[in-house]
Amino acid sequence: MIVTETAEKIKSMEIRGAGRIARTAAEALLAHATGCVTNDLDTFRREMKAAAQTLIATRPTAVSLPNAVHLVMAGLDDAPTTGEAREGVIERASRFVESSREAVGKIARIGARHIRDGDVILTHCNSEAALSCIIEAHREGKNIEVFATEVRPRNQGLVTIRTLNTAGIRTNFIVDSAVRSFINDVDLVIVGADAVTVNGAVVNKIGTSQVAHSAHEARVNVLVAAETYKFAPRTVIGELINIEERPGSEVLPDEIARTLSNVTVRNPAFDVTPAEYIDMIVTEEGAIPPQMAYVIIREYLGWGIEEFHKAFEINTRHEE
Ligand code: RI2
């Protein structure tokens, strides 16, 4: 029940933001494990795996979601009893939620070091990780000002400006298409990430690549705030990040769209910013140039060379 409800809320974006999605999915698995009263180990495993699949299927781009689910499910097949299997899920889910929260705090402190007194910062969409850096810099007494975009079609910019307003940070609210007009007034761009690929490309809210392109042209630094679990291990074996395309009705009401028979509304939720347009990725383990993404995947997600071989074998077997 909790899993179905959580899945619905993630799909409809009532729960959104890559980090929050991951934590909520881990909490739903924890609740499912607790509520699943069976003493039969196979039934328990089957129930947990079905719940994991339901959660992963909700949003295809934010790699934080499958990464979190895999962390929680790791070891389920090795547990000798139902009790230990259940305890394992509960323990790993709690640990993930806690470490995810701690990661945001660490990113805030590391990111804030790269914000100078007097900086004007531009942010796009609503990223907990990105905002934590900005709020921490303000808390440290730096005099900063922010430009926040509207973020069509779901207007996540409204959440951002409310948070910044509550924090007491001077903020300018602009439409997405005004970024280039203001980029020369900006010292630093800070955004979040839904996924980071092995070659340092950042997948984030649609429009991020336009923002980064404008910043690059104006020689404004671009900083990405991303927890290590947003790095995508399977991109090492050539898997591409699936860009979610959401219903056209989010962009244009169906009543209007229906009257325009030659018009198709396209609504990709994310885009890809190449590593060349990114100066730094701030993770909880430190700030790295995007080209070092592989190190994070290897060192912190535990994807050593054997895992890649295993995944590669599975991949080629699928293709046969
Ligand atoms: P945090 C969001 O996706 C935005 O693209 C945001 O930049 C990213 O997740 C990371 O957010 P959506 O759920 O994890 O709004 O830093 O589609 O909060």
Side-chain angles (χ1 to χ4, degrees):
M1 192 58 177
I2 289 184
V3 168
T4 323
E5 267 171 34
T6 305
E8 261 324 301
K9 284 184 184 166
I10 295 176
K11 220 184 264 177
S12 68
M13 291 179 70
E14 188 180 328
I15 296 168
R16 50 148 298 279
R20 209 165 292 124
I21 289 172
R23 283 196 296 275
T24 312
E27 280 161 352
L29 288 173
L30 188 156
H32 195 63
T34 312
C36 180
V37 288
T38 181
N39 280 326
D40 181 63
L41 186 54
D42 282 340
T43 311
F44 181 75
R45 283 184 184 141
R46 241 193 342 270
E47 286 258 335
M48 289 310 301
K49 285 178 188 173
Q53 271 320 315
T54 305
L55 291 163
I56 288 178
T58 51
R59 294 199 71 192
T61 302
V63 77
S64 53
L65 177 59
N67 276 351
V69 169
H70 288 146
L71 277 170
V72 174
M73 300 289 283
L76 181 71
D77 283 337
D78 302 327
T81 65
T82 316
E84 282 166 86
R86 184 178 290 115
E87 278 313 307
V89 169
I90 293 171
E91 208 262 319
R92 288 186 298 272
S94 315
R95 205 167 354 113
F96 174 77
V97 171
E98 197 187 322
S99 66
S100 160
R101 291 217 175 92
E102 281 170 11
V104 176
K106 287 184 193 158
I107 287 172
R109 289 188 289 280
I110 300 169
R113 282 188 220 141
H114 298 277
I115 299 173
R116 296 160 306 177
D117 190 30
D119 269 355
V120 176
I121 300 156
L122 185 139
T123 191
H124 180 61
C125 200
N126 177 252
S127 155
E128 187 185 32
L131 284 181
S132 74
C133 302
I134 297 172
I135 292 170
E136 175 62 19
H138 173 73
R139 208 192 54 77
E140 289 171 2
K142 290 173 187 166
N143 174 27
I144 54 172
E145 183 176 342
V146 175
F147 277 82
T149 50
E150 185 181 24
V151 196
R152 279 274 292 150
R154 298 293 299 241
N155 305 319
Q156 287 98 325
L158 279 179
V159 185
T160 294
I161 59 170
R162 282 194 195 110
T163 305
L164 291 168
N165 184 60
T166 306
I169 297 172
R170 240 172 336 129
T171 302
N172 306 279
F173 188 46
I174 60 173
V175 296
D176 301 325
S177 42
V179 167
R180 196 156 178 257
S181 298
F182 286 111
I183 199 71
N184 289 318
D185 300 336
V186 170
D187 299 297
L188 180 65
V189 169
I190 306 184
V191 291
D194 290 82
V196 181
T197 72
V198 67
N199 57 9
V202 168
V203 182
N204 194 46
K205 185 55 53 196
I206 191 81
T208 303
S209 69
Q210 281 180 186
V211 172
H213 190 253
S214 291
H216 185 72
E217 181 196 41
R219 295 173 164 272
V220 170
N221 281 348
V222 176
L223 194 150
V224 174
E227 297 88 327
T228 49
Y229 64 81
K230 291 176 184 164
F231 287 63
R234 297 183 70 87
T235 56
V236 177
I237 52 164
E239 263 191 32
L240 299 177
I241 303 286
N242 183 356
I243 302 288
E244 173 184 9
E245 182 145 359
R246 297 189 56 86
S249 56
E250 289 185 346
V251 177
L252 191 70
D254 280 340
E255 314 82 271
I256 300 176
R258 265 197 296 272
T259 64
L260 307 168
S261 57
N262 293 315
V263 175
T264 307
V265 181
R266 301 295 308 269
N267 184 20
F270 303 98
D271 65 18
V272 183
T273 302
E276 304 89 87
Y277 293 167
I278 298 157
D279 294 280
M280 194 184 288
I281 304 180
V282 178
T283 78
E284 72 276 21
E285 299 295 341
I288 56 157
Q291 291 77 10
M292 270 176 66
Y294 174 63
V295 176
I296 299 287
I297 292 173
R298 195 188 57 201
E299 301 293 320
Y300 298 104
L301 295 179
W303 271 62
I305 202 75
E306 302 90 58
E307 277 73 15
F308 292 127
H309 280 156
K310 264 187 258 156
F312 189 70
E313 275 167 25
I314 292 167
N315 238 25
T316 28
R317 246 183 280 138
H318 277 316
E319 281 161 15
E320 277 163 11

